[in-house]
Amino acid sequence: MTPHDHLEQAMNEVASGRRIAYLGPEVAALSDTAAPTTPQALSALLERQVRAPRRAAGNLWAVAQYIESRKFRATLNKLVEDAFDTPAAGSNPVHDWLARVGPPMIVDTWYDDGLLRAFAGKPHGLVQGVSRNGEWIDIFTRAYDADGNQVPEASPEWETLIYKPHGMARKGSSFLMSDSDYVEVLTEIDIQRPIPEDVTRRRTGRPFLFLGCRFEDQMLRTFARQIAKRSAPGHVMVIHGPLTRMEEKFVKEMNALHIDLPLEAVAEALTVPEG
C-alpha cells in the first residue's frame, strides 16, 4: 500500500468509529486562521507582549510560567485569550469532516475552538482540561453538553465526545499552559487519574490516527502516550518531513505507522469531486 492508501484506510476507520482522531495544532492551520497554530508561534506572540528571559525563549510552557509568576495568572489568561480571539476562520476540512461523520471520540490538543464551532448544532459533548490555578477543589477536567452547559461528567449517551486535554483559550474557559499547570497532571497521569472515565471507555479497542502533531517535546509525548494507553494497537501518525531523534524513538515506542505526507494530503482526501 502507498502512503495515500494507508491514510485513506485510517480515515475510513475514523469515519466508521473504529479509530480515534488525535488532532494537533497544525490541523487548526487548515482554517487559514490568524490565531497561532504552533506552540512556537504562540510563544513568540507572548514574548512580544512580555519580555521573557533568554533561557525560556521559544519554550511556550516556560514563557507562560514566567508571565504567570511575574505578571499574575490573569495577565497570562488575557494574553492567550486575546491571541485566539480572532474573527471566525475559514472552513476547516478536517473539522467539518469530523462533524459530518460524528465519530465516538475526538482528541483535540490545541487551544482553539474551531472543532467545537464545526460541531455546533450536532450531538456531542466536551471534556476539557482545566488549570488548578485559583481552584480549591481536586479537579483535572470539566464537562459540558452540546449547549455549553456544565455537567457533572461526560455522558456515555453523547454521540461524540470531544476531549481537549490542554483546555481551551476562550473567555469563560480554562487551559493548561504554564509549568505549574502541568505539575500535578503529569504526576498523576501515569495512573490515569486526570483522564476521564468515558475517555478510557471510548478508547478501548480503538487505535489512534495522529494528525497535525509534532512530538519533539517530552510533555506532548507524555500526554499522547497516556491518552492512548490501553487502546488498541495499530496507531498511525501523519507527520511530514524528517523526524527528530526523539520523535523516531516515540513512533517506535508506540509501534505506530509513520506516514510522511503533508497535512494538506488529508484535506485533499476529503475533497469530494462535484457531480
Side-chain angles (χ1 to χ4, degrees):
M1 292 175 66
T2 68
H4 286 87
D5 291 335
H6 282 297
L7 174 60
E8 183 177 0
Q9 178 178 305
M11 292 173 67
N12 286 338
E13 290 168 352
V14 170
S16 65
R18 293 176 290 144
R19 182 181 292 274
I20 298 168
Y22 188 109
L23 311 181
E26 292 175 13
V27 171
L30 295 175
S31 303
D32 194 27
T33 177
T37 56
T38 65
Q40 294 80 9
L42 180 53
S43 180
L45 187 151
L46 294 177
E47 289 174 66
R48 288 196 293 272
Q49 305 296 317
V50 177
R51 185 175 180 180
R54 184 176 300 177
R55 67 180 183 277
N59 183 318
L60 175 60
W61 335 119
V63 169
Q65 182 62 52
Y66 177 82
I67 295 172
E68 180 178 291
S69 300
R70 298 300 180 93
K71 303 287 186 177
F72 304 110
R73 180 70 187 202
T75 300
L76 175 63
N77 287 347
K78 185 176 189 312
L79 291 175
V80 175
E81 288 166 2
D82 287 350
F84 286 90
D85 185 17
T86 63
S91 178
N92 186 302
V94 173
H95 291 167
D96 292 347
W97 165 64
L98 290 168
R100 187 167 65 250
V101 300
M105 183 167 75
I106 306 163
V107 180
D108 184 9
T109 64
W110 196 227
Y111 299 105
D112 70 304
D113 64 355
L115 184 61
L116 285 176
R117 285 190 277 108
F119 266 84
K122 299 181 181 294
H124 72 281
L126 165 70
V127 175
Q128 67 158 84
V130 297
S131 171
R132 288 194 173 194
N133 188 287
E135 294 285 352
W136 297 97
I137 56 177
D138 186 22
I139 186 173
F140 289 105
T141 60
R142 289 196 180 99
Y144 301 85
D145 65 17
D147 295 322
N149 301 311
Q150 187 173 342
V151 294
E153 60 185 9
S155 170
E157 302 300 317
W158 289 346
E159 188 170 313
T160 300
L161 168 60
I162 297 174
Y163 178 38
K164 293 182 72 70
H166 301 279
M168 191 161 44
R170 69 180 183 186
K171 289 179 174 61
S173 193
S174 182
F175 55 84
L176 307 175
M177 191 171 293
S178 65
D179 284 337
S180 60
D181 283 337
Y182 286 107
V183 169
E184 288 189 73
V185 177
L186 293 175
T187 299
E188 301 279 352
I189 200 168
D190 190 51
I191 59 173
Q192 300 282 287
R193 200 163 79 86
I195 298 177
E197 183 178 340
D198 205 43
V199 170
T200 64
R201 183 185 67 81
R202 291 177 189 245
R203 75 185 175 190
T204 301
R206 296 182 173 103
F208 284 72
L209 170 61
F210 294 86
L211 297 172
C213 306
R214 296 302 304 227
F215 294 108
E216 304 104 321
D217 188 276
Q218 181 180 356
M219 188 272 290
L220 297 177
R221 293 193 299 272
T222 298
F223 264 74
R225 183 186 300 115
Q226 295 301 329
I227 290 171
K229 195 172 186 177
R230 304 191 188 103
S231 60
H235 304 306
V236 174
M237 297 185 178
V238 180
I239 305 175
H240 184 45
L243 302 179
T244 66
R245 182 178 65 85
M246 294 308 297
E247 285 179 319
E248 286 184 351
K249 185 176 179 181
F250 183 63
V251 170
K252 291 179 181 177
E253 174 196 335
M254 297 289 284
N255 196 23
L257 171 66
H258 170 217
I259 299 178
D260 186 356
L261 286 173
L263 202 58
E264 287 74 16
V266 179
E268 290 170 4
L270 296 170
T271 302
V272 179
E274 293 185 2

